[in-house]
Amino acid sequence: MHPVKRGQVIGGFSLGEVVHRGGMAVLHAATHPEHDLPILVKLPLLAEGDDPAAIVGFEMEQMILPRLDGPHVPRCLGVGHEPLPWIAMERIEGETLLPLLDRLPLPIDEIVETGALIAEALCALHRQGVVHLDVKPGNLMRTDERIIMLDFGLSHHAQLPDLMAEEFRLPYGSAPYMAPEQIMGVRGDPASDLFAVGAFLYALTTGRNPFGDPQHMGAMKRRLWWDPPPPRALRPDCPPWLQEIILRNLEVEPARRHPTAAQLGFDLRHPEQVRHSARAARLKRDAWTDRIRRRFHPDHQPKLRRNAIAMAQSGAPIIAVALDLDEVTPELSAAMRGMVTQIMAILPGARVACVNVLRTHLLRPDMALDDAGRNKHLQRLLELRHWSAALKLPEERLTHHVLEGTSAAAGVLEYAQVNRVDHIILGARADSLGRRVLGSVAAEIARDAACSVTVVRLRPG
Amino acid sequence: MRIALLADLHANLEALDACLVHAAAQGAERLVFLGDLVGYGADPVAVVARVRDLMGQGAIVLRGNHDEAALRGPIGFSGLAAEAMRWTQARLDPETKAFLAELPFTHEEEDRLYTHADGANPPAWNYVTQAADARRSLAGTTARLTFCGHTHVPALFGLTATDKLLHHTPLPDLMLPLLQPRRWLAVIGAVGQPRDGNPAACYGLLDTDKAECGWLRVPYDIEAAARKIRAAELPEALAARLFLGM
C-alpha cells in the first residue's frame, strides 16, 4: 500500500492532497520553498505482487523527464529515490483529451485542430531524441494553446540506456493505439507515435477504435494484417484528404507513414495540398483474400524494423523556399533552384514549401484584384507553381503557399514557426537603396528564425 | 565532486596529457587511474613518472595486467602484446618497477569500486564485454557503482528493478544518469589505445552530486605517439592502430 501521507516532505517538497491515482502511480499536489509555481509529485504505487515492471517504467521516466525541455512537456523540478522513488514536476493547468471520447464523433475541424496540436507536441519530443510509445488521450494534456505530453514511463530515449528494452514478456503500451512494430518488440521508431496518432484520429472521426481494444497478444497482432474499414465508410462526410492522412499513419510498415511528426502536422494544416493516393478514395476494406495473403504469405511480411538512419528525424526536413517574385532575377532563380535540388537529392524524405508573401498595406484597404482585374492571390500561386516546375519534384514533396502580411520577413518567420520548418532558403536582394536604409529581409530572417537559413547570393561579375 | 577515470594509458604520453588537460577544464577534482599504465606505447617511463607524481597529489592508481607483466614477464600474452612487453621490460628502471609492484588491484570509496577488469576476481583479469560478464562482476562485489577498463571499449551495464541486465553503448561526450538505487558497471574506454573505432583518447568523468557518468573523447597528437612507436622499433601495427582506433 501507499506509505506516504499528506504533509510529508520528500526531497524538500511538501506533499498536499492526492490529485490523481492511476494504475501505476499516484500524483500529489506539492509545494517547495524555492519554487513559486504549482507542483506535482509523482510516486509509484508499489505493493506486494505488483508487476515490478511498473518501477522500471517509473525509473525510465526519472531518467528521461529531467532531460526534456520546452513547452510541450511538464518542467521537471527534481527526481530522487528516498524514501521511495519520486519525480517532482510543474503542475499543468488543463484537461487531458479523455473527455473528447465522450462526444464522438467530433466535428472535422476539431479533429484536424487536435491532430495538428498533437503532431506539434510530438515533433518537439522527437527532436529531443525521445519516442513516447504511449500516445493516448489520457497522456495528452490540452491547455489553451497547445498539447503537453505526459508520462514517459514507456518512452525510449535515443541516447540513454533503455531499461524497458529487456522487459519483453509483454509489449507495454495501450492496446487501441499501439503500433504493429511496437507489438513485435521494436522500440525507438518515432513512426510508432504517428501510428498512435492515426489510431486516435480514426477514433475521433468514426467514433470507434480502428482495432478495438484487444486484451491479449494474439488479438493485438491482428493489426499486422487486418485493415479497419476506411473512415469514409463509417462517416460519409469525412473528407478524402483526412482519410488519406489517417490511413497513411495506420500503415503497418513504419516507412509508409509520414516521415516525421512535423510533416504530419504540415498536412493537417494544409489539407488542400494533401496529395491523394488510393487510400483517400477507399470506401471498403481490402478483400478477404488480400488479408489472408498478408497474414500467411511469406513474401508479404511487413518490414517493421528500420535502421537508425532511416528513422533519423533529420533526414526528412521541411524546407521553405521564400521567393520574392517581384525582385527575383532569372539568374538568382536558377541559383536557388540549384540549391534546393542539391538538398532534395541528398534527403529523400525532405519536402519543399514554396512561399511568397503578398504584402498588404495598412493604410490602403487592400484590394484583392490588381489593376488588370486579376485575382492577386491566385496569380501569385500560379507564379510559384511556374517557378517550382523546373525542380521536377513529385507532387507529394512540393507545396505552394501565398501568405499575406505587412512585411515579407514577418510573414516568412511566422510561417516557419507554425509549420515547424527546418530550413529556410531565400535569395539575397540586389544591392538597393531600400536594403541599405531598411536592412535586408534576409538579414532579418537569418537573425530571428528558429531554424537554419541559407541565403543564396550570386557572385558579382 | 567530479572524478576523472583514466584506464589503459598504455605508455601513450600524448594521449594522457591531452586527457589530463581536458579533465582539469571539466573541473575534475580527483583522478583515478584504472590500470595498464604501460605496454604497447613508447613512453612507459615518462607515463609512470607522470602518474606517480599525480599519486603524490592524491590520485588513486590501480594495477593492470600489463603493469603486472612488466614485473613478471608477458605470461599468456598474444604476439604483439608480448613483443611490446619484452621491449617495455627492458626499459623500466628499478624505481619504476618498484612503483608498479606496489599498485593495488582495487580501491573502494563510498558506493564506488575501482578496478582494472572483472571486480569479482581482479587477479584473473577477466574481460567485461558481455552482459553475463557484468552480471558475474556485480554478483561478486557489493559496491553500487563499479568502474573498470581492460577492454578498451566503452560500455555501461546496469541491473534493473526486475534484475534484468542491460548493456548500453554510451555515445561520446554525453553524461548518463547512474540512477539510484540501481547498480551500474561502467567500462571506461582507453586513454592510450582506443579500440571502438574512434581514435580519440577516452576517459570517464563521474559527477557524484548528479550521479552521472560520461565517456569523454579527446583529440590528441596521434602522429607524435605513432612516430615514437616507430622510432623505438616496436611493431608497426601498434602505431597504425592508433590512427584507426582499432
Side-chain angles (χ1 to χ4, degrees):
Chain A
M1 278 290 92
H2 194 44
V4 175
K5 293 192 186 67
R6 196 176 165 161
Q8 187 168 341
V9 178
I10 293 183
F13 295 88
S14 308
L15 300 191
E17 83 274 3
V18 171
V19 296
H20 180 75
R21 188 179 287 272
M24 306 264 228
V26 60
L27 292 169
H28 286 262
T31 57
H32 189 285
E34 286 166 28
H35 296 292
D36 186 23
L37 76 175
I39 297 170
L40 285 179
V41 170
K42 184 172 181 176
L43 305 168
L45 276 173
L46 299 171
E48 284 294 319
D50 271 0
D51 184 353
I55 188 69
V56 178
F58 195 90
E59 291 183 346
M60 205 62 223
E61 186 162 29
Q62 283 188 310
M63 294 209 285
I64 291 176
L65 194 61
R67 284 164 177 78
L68 292 177
D69 207 355
H72 298 285
V73 291
R75 187 152 73 89
C76 183
L77 302 172
V79 302
H81 68 290
E82 295 289 350
L84 75 170
W86 57 269
I87 300 171
M89 66 185 105
E90 166 195 15
R91 180 176 183 176
I92 309 287
E93 295 302 333
E95 210 174 34
T96 71
L97 297 188
L98 278 173
L100 297 186
L101 300 182
D102 297 332
R103 48 185 186 88
L104 297 181
L106 295 188
I108 298 295
D109 288 353
E110 195 178 348
I111 296 167
V112 173
E113 173 66 9
T114 306
L117 289 176
I118 298 171
E120 187 182 300
L122 279 176
C123 172
L125 195 65
H126 292 172
R127 276 171 202 271
Q128 297 181 62
V130 174
V131 187
H132 191 281
L133 296 177
D134 198 14
V135 174
K136 59 179 182 181
N139 284 341
L140 302 168
M141 183 77 102
R142 176 79 197 257
T143 67
D144 289 344
E145 304 161 319
R146 62 179 67 98
I147 297 272
I148 293 168
M149 315 281 314
L150 305 176
D151 199 342
F152 298 90
L154 300 180
S155 301
H156 174 89
H157 192 302
Q159 300 170 336
L160 296 183
D162 189 348
L163 305 179
M164 294 301 285
E166 298 293 324
E167 299 294 332
F168 29 51
R169 288 165 301 147
L170 283 171
Y172 288 91
S174 299
Y177 308 106
M178 210 191 311
E181 66 275 11
Q182 205 178 334
I183 291 169
M184 302 311 285
V186 177
R187 290 172 56 78
D189 192 332
S192 302
D193 286 347
L194 300 188
F195 185 95
V197 176
F200 184 49
L201 294 182
Y202 183 102
L204 295 182
T205 307
T206 65
R208 53 186 256 194
N209 289 320
F211 308 102
D213 189 2
Q215 296 303 315
H216 60 89
M217 191 66 177
M220 277 178 39
K221 282 188 182 165
R222 207 160 67 125
R223 69 193 62 183
L224 276 98
W225 51 270
W226 188 95
D227 61 316
R232 293 174 65 197
L234 302 170
R235 180 166 178 183
D237 73 331
C238 171
W241 57 264
L242 181 56
Q243 171 159 309
E244 172 75 31
I245 291 172
I246 291 173
L247 292 185
R248 181 171 179 188
N249 288 290
L250 291 179
E251 285 281 353
V252 175
E253 293 196 11
R256 295 171 65 94
R257 299 172 207 149
H258 274 89
T260 62
Q263 291 207 23
L264 166 61
F266 189 96
D267 276 355
L268 286 165
R269 291 198 185 281
H270 304 283
E272 73 290 349
Q273 307 233 13
V274 174
R275 193 186 71 104
H276 294 193
S277 73
R279 287 184 285 248
R282 286 175 52 201
L283 294 171
K284 288 192 306 210
R285 298 176 54 198
D286 292 339
W288 64 271
T289 46
D290 292 334
R291 293 199 293 274
I292 294 296
R293 185 165 55 237
R294 281 199 295 262
R295 185 172 187 187
F296 296 109
H297 198 290
D299 290 348
H300 287 79
Q301 296 314 301
K303 263 192 77 170
L304 296 178
R305 199 174 287 275
R306 298 197 286 170
N307 65 31
I309 295 160
M311 287 193 278
Q313 292 295 289
S314 58
I318 298 175
I319 295 160
V321 181
L323 276 171
D324 185 344
L325 293 165
D326 298 328
E327 292 223 13
V328 70
T329 62
E331 293 77 17
L332 184 60
S333 223
M336 290 177 73
R337 274 195 292 260
M339 177 71 71
V340 175
T341 303
Q342 284 177 29
I343 293 176
M344 297 305 278
I346 299 165
L347 302 171
R351 61 194 285 173
V352 172
C354 298
V355 176
N356 174 258
V357 180
L358 186 59
R359 255 154 289 175
T360 52
H361 297 277
L362 286 174
L363 298 177
R364 191 152 47 89
D366 214 45
M367 289 170 290
L369 303 180
D370 68 8
D371 295 340
R374 289 172 305 196
N375 180 321
K376 283 199 269 188
H377 197 279
L378 179 61
Q379 179 63 28
R380 286 287 176 90
L381 202 54
L382 295 173
E383 289 174 34
L384 281 178
R385 288 184 194 282
H386 178 69
W387 184 88
S388 71
L391 293 172
K392 297 195 170 58
L393 287 171
E395 211 185 329
E396 69 272 17
R397 299 183 69 190
L398 187 61
T399 54
H400 303 87
H401 312 266
V402 176
L403 318 170
E404 295 188 6
T406 51
S407 118
V412 171
L413 286 168
E414 191 195 339
Y415 177 87
Q417 175 63 30
V418 169
N419 292 291
R420 299 300 186 266
V421 167
D422 298 280
H423 190 171
I424 301 170
I425 295 174
L426 73 173
R429 254 198 290 194
D431 192 26
S432 68
L433 183 66
R435 178 173 144 196
R436 267 173 281 148
V437 175
L438 301 170
S440 77
V441 173
E444 189 178 344
I445 291 175
R447 186 190 62 209
D448 294 340
C451 64
S452 302
V453 177
T454 297
V455 180
V456 178
R457 175 169 286 138
L458 292 172
R459 205 181 276 281
Chain B
M1 183 170 60
R2 293 193 132 192
I3 302 173
L5 306 151
L6 301 106
D8 299 284
L9 283 53
H10 287 299
N12 186 335
L13 188 63
E14 287 72 24
L16 172 60
D17 282 347
C19 288
L20 291 174
V21 169
H22 193 278
Q26 301 297 314
E29 297 167 56
R30 190 170 178 71
L31 300 173
V32 179
F33 291 92
L34 298 171
D36 275 4
L37 312 185
V38 301
Y40 297 130
D43 269 322
V45 177
V47 164
V48 172
R50 184 82 89 248
V51 172
R52 186 164 48 177
D53 191 36
L54 292 164
M55 194 168 91
Q57 300 166 39
I60 295 164
V61 186
L62 302 176
R63 172 196 302 240
N65 53 318
H66 283 253
D67 307 319
E68 189 177 81
L71 309 171
R72 295 202 297 197
I75 304 157
F77 273 38
S78 61
L80 277 180
E83 196 177 338
M85 186 44 67
R86 281 189 288 271
W87 180 93
T88 303
Q89 280 186 293
R91 271 144 195 89
L92 296 184
D93 52 85
E95 202 186 347
T96 304
K97 285 189 177 172
F99 173 78
L100 293 177
E102 294 299 312
L103 295 179
F105 283 102
T106 59
H107 182 89
E108 279 196 69
E109 56 182 5
E110 297 174 12
D111 58 352
R112 305 184 288 277
L113 168 68
Y114 307 118
T115 180
H116 180 64
D118 170 9
N121 185 7
W125 307 119
N126 291 320
Y127 290 94
V128 180
T129 19
Q130 315 272 334
D133 309 326
R135 189 181 283 284
R136 183 186 59 219
S137 178
L138 287 166
T141 55
T142 54
R144 188 175 88 81
L145 306 176
T146 300
F147 298 93
C148 68
H150 196 40
T151 67
H152 299 213
V153 177
L156 176 64
F157 298 93
L159 272 176
T160 73
T162 49
D163 202 39
K164 302 273 168 41
L165 208 136
L166 70 90
H167 180 175
H168 180 73
T169 303
L171 294 174
D173 307 323
L174 186 84
M175 297 303 280
L176 296 179
L178 303 181
L179 202 69
Q180 301 264 17
R182 301 293 148 222
R183 298 186 67 203
W184 300 89
L185 188 156
V187 184
I188 305 300
V191 170
Q193 197 196 69
R195 292 183 196 161
D196 62 339
N198 180 352
C202 181
Y203 77 95
L205 189 69
L206 173 70
D207 187 318
T208 57
D209 300 328
K210 293 184 182 165
E212 288 179 345
C213 185
W215 281 250
L216 307 191
R217 302 312 285 253
V218 186
Y220 74 97
D221 191 350
I222 300 178
E223 300 277 352
R227 202 160 48 233
K228 289 182 186 175
I229 287 173
R230 286 168 180 149
E233 295 185 346
L234 279 156
E236 164 59 24
L238 295 178
R241 73 190 303 175
L242 294 181
F243 293 95
L244 304 172
M246 302 287 280

